[in-house]
Amino acid sequence: MRLSCLFVPIALLAPALAHAGTCEESFTKGGSILSGQKFAASVTLPGLKPASAIGQMRGIVVAKGYDVLAVEPEDGSMLIEQAQTGKVRAFPLTITATEDGTVRMEAKLRAGMSAASEPAKAEMCGMLNQLKTGKAGTAAASAGMTAAGNKAPLEMDALSISHQISKDTQRNAAAIPLRYKDKTFIVSGTVKSIDKLDDAYVVTYDIPEPYNEAIRLPGTAPFKTDIFCRLAKGQSVFALQLKPGKRIKLSGVYANFNPTAHGLLLENCRPVK
């Protein structure tokens, strides 16, 4: 989903024809660019239980590339996000399901983001209209609960990632491990230091303190998040040729985040050409 970019191919809506009109008629838009636009849509399928609805929706949103932060099938709720990319900021969507078979999706864009109503409606209803009842729904729910999550790498420069994680920390630090678990990062930047810890080398990116940044953008956090990259086994030759000030691009997987020390640790890091 890329509400800010206009996306959904018409072909993806073909399975929804049986429900045509219901979801589209429910669609609403509110808020503003300054406060954050809000979109909502819903469908009602008599006989669809909350656990089945949430299980199915998990499989649907995962296939669309969303990040799943929390899933409560029996309580009929799920929190997802449009995945963060170098150009598009993440924003949350909540999905709720009730005993009468109503499934509702709500999206709240962050202040400053914008999206047109028609693409937003097409995207949300394109997913909601895939829900099924009966044996087909039960099978889809079972598959949806075990579907692999979004594996698209997040490629950004070290300063941009530092800004993003710092802003995430301000909003809700507890969501960071959920948002980035198993996520691959491709980080370009400058080496600050190379250290040997136990049996691995750790590269620290050089990220300036906020008060030393040449250009300080509005809305950025008043603190920085340091980024550490623990090199994969077999990378000692590469590590021993590094020096402070050298430009690098490394690929690594989220390992840990310390909200108190403001540090993000990536592991299994390797150079990217």
Side-chain angles (χ1 to χ4, degrees):
M1 176 178 180
R2 292 292 180 269
L3 289 181
S4 53
C5 302
L6 314 192
F7 34 86
V8 179
I10 296 298
L12 292 181
L13 301 182
L17 294 179
H19 306 286
T22 303
C23 179
E24 286 74 8
E25 291 174 356
S26 75
F27 180 82
T28 60
K29 175 183 177 181
S32 67
I33 295 178
L34 292 179
S35 63
Q37 290 183 322
K38 299 178 181 179
F39 302 95
S42 64
V43 293
T44 300
L45 282 74
L48 178 62
K49 295 301 181 182
S52 177
I54 295 302
Q56 291 184 61
M57 287 304 299
R58 186 188 181 282
I60 291 167
V61 301
V62 163
K64 295 285 289 181
Y66 289 88
D67 290 325
V68 178
L69 271 61
V71 184
E72 300 287 350
E74 298 303 325
D75 291 329
S77 62
M78 179 164 61
L79 176 64
I80 65 175
E81 281 188 340
Q82 173 183 276
Q84 168 79 23
T85 69
K87 297 180 179 180
V88 180
R89 296 159 60 194
F91 61 86
L93 299 93
T94 57
I95 300 171
T96 55
T98 55
E99 288 291 341
D100 67 351
T102 298
V103 184
R104 178 178 175 84
M105 178 183 290
E106 298 183 31
K108 186 178 189 304
L109 276 63
R110 304 197 187 281
M113 298 179 72
S114 65
S117 295
E118 289 305 314
K121 182 195 300 184
E123 174 73 351
M124 297 174 80
C125 289
M127 291 187 287
L128 288 170
N129 284 335
Q130 294 182 51
L131 290 168
K132 307 169 184 177
T133 57
K135 292 182 179 179
T138 300
S142 178
M145 287 303 298
T146 58
N150 175 27
K151 297 299 183 181
L154 175 58
E155 182 170 359
M156 300 172 72
D157 63 81
L159 181 58
S160 295
I161 291 178
S162 177
H163 281 169
Q164 180 62 43
I165 301 297
S166 296
K167 199 66 179 178
D168 289 345
T169 303
Q170 284 188 310
R171 294 191 183 101
N172 188 339
I176 291 176
L178 301 174
R179 180 175 296 119
Y180 297 110
K181 180 183 179 182
D182 299 326
K183 180 74 72 176
T184 296
F185 289 73
I186 299 176
V187 188
S188 56
T190 302
V191 175
K192 179 180 180 180
S193 65
I194 312 97
D195 302 286
K196 182 73 178 293
L197 297 178
D198 297 325
D199 60 346
Y201 289 94
V202 177
V203 175
T204 302
Y205 282 88
D206 189 6
I207 299 171
E209 296 290 346
Y211 51 77
N212 285 332
E213 289 185 35
I215 300 177
R216 184 71 177 160
L217 298 176
T220 51
F223 55 86
K224 71 169 182 173
T225 296
D226 287 311
I227 301 174
F228 308 95
C229 215
R230 185 163 57 207
L231 296 178
K233 184 178 180 180
Q235 296 300 310
S236 60
V237 173
F238 169 75
L240 293 172
Q241 295 181 80
L242 294 177
K243 61 181 181 180
K246 183 178 178 63
R247 292 287 301 177
I248 56 170
K249 179 185 282 190
L250 299 176
S251 172
V253 179
Y254 173 89
N256 191 25
F257 171 70
N258 187 320
T260 304
H262 299 302
L264 173 69
L265 175 64
L266 308 178
E267 62 184 359
N268 294 323
C269 296
R270 301 176 184 275
V272 176
K273 296 182 180 181

